[in-house]
Amino acid sequence: MVTNDTKIPCETLITRYRQRGRVEDLIKELKAGFAFDKTDSHSFTMNAARALISAVAYNIVQLFKLILIPFDARKTIATLRFELLHVTGKITHHAHRIVLHLASSQVFSGFIGNVLNDILQM
């Protein structure tokens, strides 16, 4: 890090630089997890509305993490989606039908079990 400002202490410069890195990580999560960078429409209003909805969804997830998983609030949306929604299953074909068989055991164990218990205790 290079600067010509000799009035600011080194510790303050390092803190500011680290905060900048955190903001970049937040922007990356907004883009990857909430499609914040998608501008599919030719309309500015539609793209702005989509970005606003993504930002609201991000804030709701942050509130969820703050309330229900304060012990590991650094989890990204991709990790939360995997841990909360990923259930083992098997697809079979039988009598001209496609059937999805979900695992009946261990579905609510581990992380999701802890989150559900926290919700029930509220």
Side-chain angles (χ1 to χ4, degrees), residues 45-73:
T45 306
M46 298 270 286
N47 289 331
R50 183 177 186 151
L52 187 60
I53 291 168
S54 294
V56 169
Y58 175 80
N59 285 325
I60 290 170
V61 168
Q62 294 308 309
L63 182 63
F64 171 83
K65 291 192 313 187
L66 181 69
I67 293 171
L68 294 175
I69 53 170
F71 53 88
D72 194 3

Side-chain angles (χ1 to χ4, degrees), residues 4-16:
N4 60 358
D5 191 349
T6 57
K7 297 175 186 173
I8 300 175
C10 292
E11 293 80 17
T12 305
L13 286 173
I14 291 170
T15 302
R16 287 183 185 172

Side-chain angles (χ1 to χ4, degrees), residues 64 68-69 71 83-84 87 106-122:
F64 171 83
L68 294 175
I69 53 170
F71 53 88
E83 291 180 351
L84 293 174
V87 177
Q106 302 297 327
V107 174
F108 298 113
S109 66
F111 175 72
I112 191 168
N114 294 336
V115 170
L116 288 174
N117 286 333
D118 290 344
I119 291 171
L120 292 173
Q121 291 177 2
M122 291 182 131

Side-chain angles (χ1 to χ4, degrees), residues 13-88:
L13 286 173
I14 291 170
T15 302
R16 287 183 185 172
Y17 183 77
R18 288 184 178 154
Q19 289 172 345
R20 179 179 167 260
R22 287 188 205 117
V23 168
E24 289 177 1
D25 288 342
L26 295 175
I27 292 170
K28 184 171 43 173
E29 184 174 3
L30 271 169
K31 288 180 176 181
F34 297 93
F36 191 77
D37 59 340
K38 298 293 182 203
T39 54
D40 297 342
S41 176
H42 294 289
S43 166
F44 174 79
T45 306
M46 298 270 286
N47 289 331
R50 183 177 186 151
L52 187 60
I53 291 168
S54 294
V56 169
Y58 175 80
N59 285 325
I60 290 170
V61 168
Q62 294 308 309
L63 182 63
F64 171 83
K65 291 192 313 187
L66 181 69
I67 293 171
L68 294 175
I69 53 170
F71 53 88
D72 194 3
R74 294 177 296 157
K75 289 181 183 278
T76 64
I77 187 62
T79 304
L80 287 173
R81 281 185 186 141
F82 181 80
E83 291 180 351
L84 293 174
L85 303 175
H86 185 80
V87 177
T88 305

